Amino acid sequence: MTERLPLFPLSSALFPGLVLPLNVFEERYRALVHDLLELPDSGPRRFAVVAIKNGQEVAPTGQDGRDSGAAAGLGDDPLAALYAFGCVADAAGISHRGEEGFELVATGVTRFRLLSVDASGPYLTAEIEELPEETGTGAGALVPEVTRAFRAYQKKLAGSRERTLSAQELPDDATVLSYLVAAAMIVETPAKQQLLEATDSAARLTEELRLLRRETAVIDKLPSLPAVDLVQQAICAN
């Protein structure tokens, strides 16, 4: 089954279950939010979030490529400028800030494959295919390993800032844990995107175990790194 949704390209990946705060000020995204507000309060206000592979999140000024319209900052072929997989978001909270635009808080719902992009309207829309959640073989056995590796990674981050860690509980569910760890790790967007695109939770946890061990070893050789909220991404300004 395919579906057409408003499309919100961002500089980072969104994962199911994770919270995404947005400051919306560009005209194209104000139009998107206005249309979301037209939907019934009782139902979901869904839009598609996808990370930008080659392009800019905010419309450029005086640069090559398209500098206005729905595809501003993404060049002549927006589909090619975006990663092929993203996450559907549900905007549960929208606040109007007058001339400054909107603030909204959205939650990742489900992954999708991006099939096509339409730039003919005031904002981008996309045809998407939602992806099923597969646990994969051996996911349960990976949960304690990834949990231990993530705790070690947290301790290294906290130590680099001379902080103590709160005893935050980590989920036992393999899929939930895989998305939480993916969102919390401080790694480049291509690495996060690879985790989003993993075929199942077992594959995602396996790659996370490798990344966590690598990053934990690297932290000792780097200056202090910022702490990360495990369930919320940084505010994105479109």
Side-chain angles (χ1 to χ4, degrees):
M1 294 289 292
T2 64
E3 182 180 6
R4 183 160 293 278
L5 290 175
L7 181 63
F8 207 129
L10 293 174
S11 58
S12 59
L14 174 65
F15 295 90
L18 277 297
V19 175
L20 175 68
L22 288 167
N23 286 332
V24 178
F25 62 88
E26 283 196 65
E27 191 59 39
R28 51 182 168 168
Y29 298 121
R30 290 192 193 198
L32 187 158
V33 175
H34 274 296
D35 285 350
L36 290 178
L37 288 171
E38 292 296 319
L39 298 174
D41 291 338
S42 58
R45 289 170 169 164
R46 288 158 47 100
F47 60 99
V49 172
V50 66
I52 299 169
K53 180 167 55 176
N54 298 301
Q56 301 179 57
E57 186 174 302
V58 178
T61 302
Q63 300 182 24
D64 293 336
R66 305 179 70 167
D67 59 5
S68 63
L74 300 177
D76 294 327
D77 185 357
L79 183 62
L82 303 173
Y83 282 101
F85 293 79
C87 183
V88 174
D90 182 12
I94 301 176
S95 301
H96 191 199
R97 301 175 58 202
E99 294 183 358
E100 296 182 8
F102 295 92
E103 287 185 351
L104 65 88
V105 176
T107 303
V109 178
T110 186
R111 298 181 308 142
F112 66 80
R113 179 182 289 107
L114 184 62
L115 301 179
S116 66
V117 175
D118 183 358
S120 62
Y123 52 82
L124 295 175
T125 59
E127 183 182 10
I128 66 164
E129 178 185 21
E130 292 190 10
L131 300 174
E133 288 293 350
E134 303 287 349
T135 304
T137 303
L142 285 163
V143 167
E145 286 192 72
V146 172
T147 298
R148 284 193 296 271
F150 186 62
R151 286 300 190 197
Y153 173 73
Q154 283 185 297
K155 288 178 181 178
K156 288 293 184 182
L157 286 179
S160 69
R161 295 292 298 273
E162 298 182 352
R163 295 185 178 185
T164 57
L165 289 169
S166 60
Q168 184 169 4
E169 292 295 327
L170 293 176
D172 295 327
D173 182 274
T175 300
V176 176
L177 178 67
S178 74
Y179 287 135
L180 180 62
V181 171
M185 279 194 295
I186 302 173
V187 291
E188 61 278 7
T189 297
K192 285 185 177 278
Q193 186 66 31
Q194 183 179 353
L195 295 174
L196 181 68
E197 296 181 14
T199 54
D200 52 47
S201 301
R204 188 173 303 108
L205 289 168
T206 298
E207 177 63 11
E208 286 169 352
L209 192 58
R210 184 189 71 81
L211 287 172
L212 286 167
R213 288 170 174 169
R214 183 194 75 180
E215 294 300 306
T216 300
V218 166
I219 289 170
D220 282 334
K221 301 177 183 180
L222 294 178
S224 62
L225 297 173
V228 174
D229 188 316
L230 298 188
V231 295
Q232 181 166 306
Q233 298 195 359
I235 295 175
C236 294
N238 64 280

Coordinates of all heavy atoms in Angstrom, one line a residue, residues 28-106:
R28 N 6.9 27.8 2.9 CA 6.4 26.5 2.3 C 6.0 25.6 3.5 O 5.0 24.9 3.4 CB 7.5 25.9 1.5 CG 8.9 25.8 2.2 CD 9.9 25.2 1.3 NE 11.3 25.4 1.8 CZ 12.3 24.7 1.4 NH1 12.2 23.9 0.4 NH2 13.5 25.0 1.9
Y29 N 6.7 25.6 4.6 CA 6.4 24.8 5.7 C 5.3 25.3 6.6 O 4.6 24.6 7.2 CB 7.7 24.4 6.5 CG 8.7 23.7 5.7 CD1 10.0 24.2 5.5 CD2 8.4 22.5 5.0 CE1 10.9 23.6 4.7 CE2 9.3 21.9 4.2 CZ 10.6 22.4 4.0 OH 11.5 21.8 3.2
R30 N 5.1 26.6 6.6 CA 4.0 27.2 7.2 C 2.7 26.7 6.5 O 1.7 26.4 7.2 CB 4.0 28.7 7.1 CG 5.1 29.4 8.0 CD 4.8 30.9 8.1 NE 5.9 31.6 8.6 CZ 5.8 32.9 9.1 NH1 4.6 33.5 9.1 NH2 6.8 33.5 9.6
A31 N 2.8 26.7 5.2 CA 1.6 26.2 4.4 C 1.3 24.7 4.8 O 0.2 24.3 4.9 CB 1.9 26.3 2.9
L32 N 2.4 23.9 4.9 CA 2.3 22.5 5.3 C 1.5 22.4 6.7 O 0.6 21.6 6.8 CB 3.6 21.9 5.4 CG 3.7 20.4 5.6 CD1 5.1 19.9 5.1 CD2 3.6 20.0 7.0
V33 N 2.0 23.2 7.6 CA 1.4 23.2 9.0 C 0.0 23.7 8.9 O -0.9 23.1 9.6 CB 2.2 24.0 10.0 CG1 1.5 24.0 11.3 CG2 3.6 23.4 10.1
H34 N -0.3 24.7 8.2 CA -1.7 25.2 8.0 C -2.6 24.0 7.5 O -3.7 23.8 8.0 CB -1.8 26.3 7.0 CG -1.5 27.7 7.7 ND1 -2.4 28.2 8.6 CD2 -0.5 28.6 7.4 CE1 -1.9 29.4 9.0 NE2 -0.8 29.6 8.3
D35 N -2.1 23.2 6.6 CA -2.9 22.1 6.1 C -3.1 21.0 7.1 O -4.1 20.4 7.2 CB -2.3 21.6 4.8 CG -2.5 22.5 3.6 OD1 -3.3 23.4 3.7 OD2 -1.9 22.2 2.5
L36 N -2.0 20.8 7.9 CA -2.2 19.8 9.0 C -3.2 20.3 10.0 O -4.0 19.5 10.5 CB -0.8 19.7 9.8 CG 0.3 19.0 9.0 CD1 1.6 18.9 9.9 CD2 -0.1 17.5 8.6
L37 N -3.3 21.6 10.3 CA -4.3 22.1 11.2 C -5.7 22.0 10.7 O -6.7 22.0 11.5 CB -4.0 23.6 11.6 CG -2.7 23.8 12.4 CD1 -2.4 25.3 12.5 CD2 -3.0 23.2 13.8
E38 N -5.9 21.8 9.4 CA -7.2 21.7 8.8 C -7.7 20.2 9.1 O -8.9 20.0 8.9 CB -7.2 21.9 7.3 CG -6.9 23.4 7.0 CD -8.0 24.3 7.4 OE1 -9.2 23.9 7.3 OE2 -7.7 25.4 8.0
L39 N -6.9 19.3 9.5 CA -7.3 18.0 9.7 C -8.0 17.9 11.0 O -7.8 18.7 11.9 CB -6.1 17.0 9.7 CG -5.3 16.9 8.4 CD1 -4.1 16.1 8.6 CD2 -6.2 16.4 7.3
P40 N -8.9 16.9 11.2 CA -9.7 16.8 12.5 C -8.7 16.6 13.7 O -7.7 15.9 13.6 CB -10.5 15.6 12.3 CG -10.6 15.4 10.8 CD -9.3 15.9 10.2
D41 N -9.1 17.2 14.8 CA -8.3 17.1 16.0 C -8.3 15.7 16.5 O -7.3 15.3 17.2 CB -8.9 18.0 17.1 CG -8.7 19.5 16.8 OD1 -7.8 19.8 16.1 OD2 -9.4 20.3 17.4
S42 N -9.3 14.9 16.2 CA -9.4 13.6 16.7 C -8.5 12.6 16.0 O -8.3 11.5 16.5 CB -10.9 13.1 16.6 OG -11.3 13.2 15.3
G43 N -8.0 13.0 14.8 CA -7.2 12.0 14.0 C -5.8 12.4 14.0 O -5.4 13.5 14.5
P44 N -4.9 11.6 13.4 CA -3.5 11.9 13.3 C -3.3 13.0 12.3 O -4.0 13.2 11.4 CB -2.9 10.6 12.8 CG -4.0 9.9 12.0 CD -5.3 10.3 12.8
R45 N -2.2 13.8 12.5 CA -1.7 14.8 11.6 C -0.4 14.4 11.1 O 0.7 14.7 11.6 CB -1.7 16.1 12.3 CG -3.1 16.7 12.6 CD -3.1 17.9 13.5 NE -4.4 18.5 13.5 CZ -4.8 19.4 14.4 NH1 -3.9 19.8 15.4 NH2 -6.0 20.0 14.3
R46 N -0.4 13.5 10.1 CA 0.8 12.8 9.6 C 1.5 13.6 8.5 O 0.9 14.1 7.6 CB 0.5 11.4 9.1 CG 0.1 10.5 10.3 CD -0.8 9.3 9.8 NE -0.3 8.6 8.6 CZ 0.4 7.5 8.6 NH1 0.7 6.9 9.8 NH2 0.8 6.9 7.5
F47 N 2.8 13.5 8.6 CA 3.7 14.0 7.5 C 4.9 13.2 7.4 O 5.2 12.4 8.3 CB 4.0 15.5 7.6 CG 4.8 15.9 8.8 CD1 6.1 16.1 8.8 CD2 4.1 16.1 10.0 CE1 6.8 16.4 9.9 CE2 4.8 16.4 11.2 CZ 6.2 16.6 11.1
A48 N 5.6 13.2 6.3 CA 6.8 12.4 6.1 C 8.1 13.2 6.3 O 8.2 14.3 5.9 CB 6.8 11.8 4.7
V49 N 9.0 12.6 7.1 CA 10.3 13.2 7.3 C 11.3 12.3 6.7 O 11.4 11.1 6.9 CB 10.5 13.3 8.9 CG1 12.0 13.8 9.1 CG2 9.5 14.2 9.5
V50 N 12.2 13.0 5.9 CA 13.3 12.3 5.3 C 14.6 13.1 5.4 O 14.5 14.4 5.4 CB 13.0 12.0 3.8 CG1 12.9 13.2 3.0 CG2 14.0 11.0 3.2
A51 N 15.7 12.5 5.6 CA 17.0 13.2 5.7 C 17.5 13.6 4.3 O 17.3 13.0 3.3 CB 18.0 12.3 6.4
I52 N 18.2 14.8 4.3 CA 18.7 15.3 3.1 C 20.1 14.7 2.8 O 21.0 14.8 3.7 CB 18.8 16.9 3.2 CG1 17.4 17.5 3.4 CG2 19.5 17.4 1.9 CD1 17.4 18.9 3.7
K53 N 20.3 14.2 1.6 CA 21.6 13.6 1.2 C 22.5 14.6 0.6 O 23.7 14.7 0.9 CB 21.3 12.4 0.3 CG 22.6 11.7 -0.2 CD 22.2 10.4 -0.8 CE 21.3 10.5 -2.0 NZ 21.0 9.2 -2.7
N54 N 21.9 15.4 -0.3 CA 22.7 16.4 -1.0 C 21.8 17.7 -1.2 O 20.9 17.7 -2.0 CB 23.1 16.0 -2.5 CG 24.0 14.8 -2.4 OD1 25.1 14.8 -1.9 ND2 23.6 13.7 -3.0
G55 N 22.0 18.6 -0.3 CA 21.2 19.8 -0.4 C 21.2 20.5 1.0 O 22.0 20.2 1.9
Q56 N 20.2 21.5 1.1 CA 20.2 22.3 2.3 C 18.8 22.3 2.9 O 17.8 22.3 2.2 CB 20.6 23.7 2.0 CG 22.0 23.9 1.5 CD 22.3 25.3 1.1 OE1 22.2 26.2 2.0 NE2 22.6 25.6 -0.1
E57 N 18.7 22.3 4.2 CA 17.4 22.3 4.9 C 16.6 23.6 4.8 O 15.4 23.6 4.6 CB 17.6 22.0 6.4 CG 16.4 21.8 7.2 CD 16.7 21.3 8.6 OE1 17.4 20.3 8.8 OE2 16.3 22.1 9.6
V58 N 17.4 24.7 4.8 CA 16.8 26.0 4.7 C 17.0 26.5 3.3 O 18.1 26.3 2.7 CB 17.3 27.0 5.7 CG1 16.7 28.4 5.6 CG2 17.1 26.5 7.1
A59 N 16.1 27.2 2.7 CA 16.2 27.7 1.3 C 17.4 28.6 1.2 O 17.5 29.5 2.0 CB 14.9 28.4 0.9
P60 N 18.3 28.3 0.2 CA 19.5 29.2 0.1 C 19.1 30.5 -0.6 O 18.1 30.6 -1.3 CB 20.4 28.3 -0.8 CG 19.4 27.5 -1.7 CD 18.2 27.2 -0.8
T61 N 20.0 31.5 -0.5 CA 19.8 32.8 -1.1 C 21.1 33.1 -1.9 O 22.2 33.0 -1.4 CB 19.6 33.9 -0.1 OG1 18.5 33.5 0.7 CG2 19.4 35.2 -0.7
G62 N 20.9 33.4 -3.2 CA 22.0 33.8 -4.0 C 23.0 32.6 -4.3 O 24.1 32.9 -4.6
Q63 N 22.5 31.4 -4.3 CA 23.3 30.3 -4.6 C 22.8 29.5 -5.8 O 21.7 29.7 -6.3 CB 23.4 29.3 -3.4 CG 24.0 30.0 -2.2 CD 24.1 29.0 -1.1 OE1 24.1 27.8 -1.3 NE2 24.1 29.5 0.2
D64 N 23.6 28.7 -6.4 CA 23.2 27.9 -7.5 C 22.1 26.9 -7.1 O 22.0 26.5 -6.0 CB 24.4 27.0 -8.1 CG 25.4 27.9 -8.7 OD1 25.1 29.0 -9.1 OD2 26.6 27.5 -8.8
G65 N 21.3 26.5 -8.1 CA 20.2 25.6 -7.8 C 18.9 26.4 -7.5 O 18.8 27.6 -7.6
R66 N 17.9 25.7 -7.1 CA 16.6 26.3 -6.9 C 16.6 27.0 -5.6 O 16.9 26.4 -4.5 CB 15.5 25.2 -6.9 CG 15.5 24.4 -8.2 CD 14.4 23.3 -8.2 NE 13.1 23.9 -8.3 CZ 12.0 23.2 -8.6 NH1 12.1 21.9 -8.8 NH2 10.8 23.8 -8.6
D67 N 16.3 28.3 -5.6 CA 16.4 29.0 -4.3 C 15.0 29.5 -3.9 O 14.9 30.4 -3.0 CB 17.3 30.2 -4.5 CG 16.9 31.2 -5.6 OD1 15.8 31.0 -6.2 OD2 17.7 32.1 -5.8
S68 N 13.9 29.0 -4.5 CA 12.6 29.3 -4.1 C 11.7 28.2 -4.5 O 12.0 27.3 -5.2 CB 12.1 30.6 -4.8 OG 12.1 30.5 -6.2
G69 N 10.5 28.2 -3.9 CA 9.5 27.1 -4.2 C 9.6 26.0 -3.3 O 10.4 26.0 -2.4
A70 N 8.8 25.0 -3.6 CA 8.7 23.8 -2.7 C 10.0 23.0 -2.5 O 10.3 22.5 -1.5 CB 7.6 22.9 -3.2
A71 N 10.9 23.0 -3.6 CA 12.1 22.2 -3.6 C 13.3 23.1 -3.3 O 14.4 22.7 -3.6 CB 12.2 21.5 -4.9
A72 N 13.2 24.3 -2.8 CA 14.3 25.2 -2.5 C 15.4 24.5 -1.7 O 15.1 23.9 -0.7 CB 13.8 26.4 -1.8
G73 N 16.6 24.6 -2.2 CA 17.7 24.0 -1.5 C 18.0 22.6 -1.9 O 19.0 22.0 -1.4
L74 N 17.2 22.0 -2.7 CA 17.4 20.6 -3.1 C 17.7 20.4 -4.5 O 17.8 19.2 -5.0 CB 16.1 19.8 -2.7 CG 15.6 19.8 -1.3 CD1 14.3 19.1 -1.1 CD2 16.7 19.2 -0.4
G75 N 18.0 21.4 -5.3 CA 18.4 21.3 -6.7 C 17.2 21.0 -7.6 O 16.0 21.1 -7.2
D76 N 17.5 20.6 -8.8 CA 16.5 20.3 -9.8 C 15.8 19.0 -9.7 O 14.8 18.8 -10.3 CB 17.1 20.5 -11.2 CG 17.6 21.9 -11.5 OD1 16.9 22.8 -11.1 OD2 18.6 22.0 -12.2
D77 N 16.4 18.1 -8.9 CA 15.8 16.7 -8.8 C 15.7 16.4 -7.3 O 16.6 15.8 -6.7 CB 16.7 15.7 -9.5 CG 16.0 14.3 -9.4 OD1 14.9 14.2 -8.8 OD2 16.6 13.4 -10.0
P78 N 14.7 16.9 -6.6 CA 14.6 16.7 -5.1 C 14.6 15.2 -4.7 O 15.1 14.9 -3.6 CB 13.3 17.4 -4.8 CG 12.5 17.5 -6.0 CD 13.5 17.6 -7.1
L79 N 14.1 14.3 -5.5 CA 14.1 12.9 -5.2 C 15.6 12.4 -5.0 O 15.9 11.7 -4.1 CB 13.4 12.1 -6.2 CG 13.3 10.6 -5.9 CD1 12.5 10.3 -4.6 CD2 12.6 9.8 -7.1
A80 N 16.5 12.9 -5.9 CA 17.9 12.5 -5.9 C 18.6 13.1 -4.7 O 19.6 12.6 -4.3 CB 18.5 12.8 -7.2
A81 N 18.1 14.2 -4.2 CA 18.8 15.0 -3.1 C 18.4 14.4 -1.8 O 19.0 14.7 -0.8 CB 18.4 16.4 -3.2
L82 N 17.4 13.5 -1.7 CA 17.0 12.9 -0.4 C 17.3 11.5 -0.3 O 17.5 10.7 -1.3 CB 15.5 13.1 -0.3 CG 14.9 14.5 -0.5 CD1 13.4 14.5 -0.6 CD2 15.4 15.4 0.6
Y83 N 17.5 11.0 0.9 CA 17.7 9.6 1.2 C 16.4 8.8 0.8 O 15.3 9.4 0.8 CB 18.0 9.3 2.6 CG 19.5 9.6 2.9 CD1 19.8 10.8 3.6 CD2 20.5 8.7 2.6 CE1 21.2 11.1 3.9 CE2 21.8 9.0 2.9 CZ 22.1 10.2 3.5 OH 23.5 10.4 3.8
A84 N 16.5 7.6 0.5 CA 15.4 6.8 0.0 C 14.5 6.2 1.1 O 13.4 5.7 0.7 CB 15.9 5.6 -0.9
F85 N 14.9 6.4 2.3 CA 14.0 5.9 3.4 C 13.9 7.0 4.5 O 14.8 7.8 4.7 CB 14.7 4.7 4.1 CG 14.7 3.5 3.2 CD1 15.7 3.3 2.3 CD2 13.8 2.4 3.4 CE1 15.8 2.2 1.4 CE2 13.8 1.3 2.6 CZ 14.8 1.2 1.6
G86 N 12.7 7.1 5.1 CA 12.4 8.1 6.1 C 11.4 7.5 7.1 O 11.3 6.3 7.3
C87 N 10.8 8.4 7.8 CA 9.9 8.1 8.9 C 8.7 9.0 8.9 O 8.8 10.2 8.8 CB 10.7 8.2 10.3 SG 9.7 7.7 11.7
V88 N 7.5 8.4 9.0 CA 6.3 9.1 9.1 C 6.3 9.7 10.5 O 6.6 9.1 11.5 CB 5.1 8.2 8.9 CG1 3.8 9.0 9.2 CG2 5.1 7.7 7.5
A89 N 5.8 11.0 10.6 CA 5.7 11.7 11.9 C 4.3 12.1 12.1 O 3.5 12.4 11.2 CB 6.6 12.9 11.9
D90 N 3.9 12.1 13.4 CA 2.5 12.6 13.8 C 2.7 13.8 14.6 O 3.3 13.8 15.7 CB 1.8 11.5 14.6 CG 0.4 11.9 15.0 OD1 -0.1 12.9 14.4 OD2 -0.2 11.2 15.8
A91 N 2.1 14.9 14.2 CA 2.2 16.2 14.9 C 1.2 16.3 15.9 O 0.0 16.7 15.6 CB 2.1 17.4 13.9
A92 N 1.5 16.0 17.1 CA 0.5 16.0 18.2 C 0.3 17.4 18.8 O -0.8 17.7 19.3 CB 0.9 15.0 19.3
G93 N 1.3 18.2 18.8 CA 1.2 19.5 19.4 C 1.7 20.6 18.4 O 2.9 20.5 18.0
I94 N 0.9 21.5 18.1 CA 1.2 22.6 17.2 C 0.9 24.0 17.9 O -0.3 24.1 18.3 CB 0.5 22.5 15.8 CG1 0.8 21.2 15.2 CG2 0.8 23.7 14.9 CD1 0.0 21.0 13.9
S95 N 1.8 24.9 18.0 CA 1.6 26.2 18.6 C 1.9 27.3 17.5 O 3.0 27.3 16.9 CB 2.5 26.4 19.8 OG 2.3 25.4 20.8
H96 N 0.9 28.2 17.4 CA 1.1 29.3 16.4 C 1.9 30.4 17.1 O 1.5 30.9 18.2 CB -0.2 29.8 16.0 CG -0.2 30.7 14.8 ND1 -1.2 31.6 14.4 CD2 0.8 31.0 13.9 CE1 -0.8 32.3 13.4 NE2 0.4 31.9 13.0
R97 N 2.9 30.9 16.5 CA 3.8 32.0 17.1 C 3.6 33.3 16.3 O 4.6 34.1 16.2 CB 5.2 31.5 17.1 CG 5.5 30.3 18.0 CD 6.9 29.8 17.9 NE 7.8 30.9 18.3 CZ 9.1 30.9 17.9 NH1 9.6 30.0 17.1 NH2 9.9 31.9 18.4
G98 N 2.5 33.5 15.7 CA 2.2 34.7 14.9 C 3.1 34.8 13.7 O 3.3 33.8 12.9
E99 N 3.8 35.9 13.5 CA 4.6 36.2 12.4 C 5.9 35.3 12.4 O 6.5 35.1 11.4 CB 5.0 37.6 12.3 CG 3.9 38.6 12.0 CD 4.3 40.0 11.8 OE1 5.5 40.3 12.0 OE2 3.5 40.9 11.6
E100 N 6.2 34.8 13.5 CA 7.4 33.9 13.6 C 7.1 32.5 13.2 O 8.1 31.7 13.0 CB 7.9 33.9 15.1 CG 8.3 35.2 15.6 CD 8.9 35.1 17.0 OE1 9.0 34.0 17.6 OE2 9.1 36.2 17.6
G101 N 5.9 32.1 12.9 CA 5.6 30.8 12.4 C 5.0 29.9 13.4 O 4.1 30.3 14.1
F102 N 5.4 28.7 13.4 CA 4.8 27.7 14.3 C 5.9 26.9 15.1 O 7.1 26.8 14.6 CB 4.1 26.6 13.5 CG 2.9 27.2 12.8 CD1 3.0 27.6 11.5 CD2 1.6 27.2 13.4 CE1 1.8 28.1 10.8 CE2 0.5 27.7 12.8 CZ 0.6 28.2 11.5
E103 N 5.6 26.4 16.2 CA 6.3 25.4 16.9 C 5.5 24.1 17.0 O 4.3 24.2 17.3 CB 6.7 25.8 18.3 CG 7.7 26.9 18.4 CD 8.1 27.2 19.9 OE1 7.4 26.7 20.8 OE2 9.1 28.0 20.1
L104 N 6.1 23.0 16.6 CA 5.3 21.8 16.7 C 6.2 20.7 17.3 O 7.4 20.7 17.1 CB 4.7 21.4 15.3 CG 5.7 21.0 14.2 CD1 6.0 19.6 14.2 CD2 5.0 21.4 12.9
V105 N 5.6 19.7 17.9 CA 6.2 18.6 18.4 C 5.6 17.4 17.7 O 4.4 17.1 17.8 CB 6.1 18.5 20.0 CG1 6.7 17.2 20.5 CG2 6.7 19.7 20.6
A106 N 6.5 16.6 17.1 CA 6.0 15.4 16.3 C 6.7 14.2 16.9 O 7.8 14.3 17.5 CB 6.3 15.6 14.8

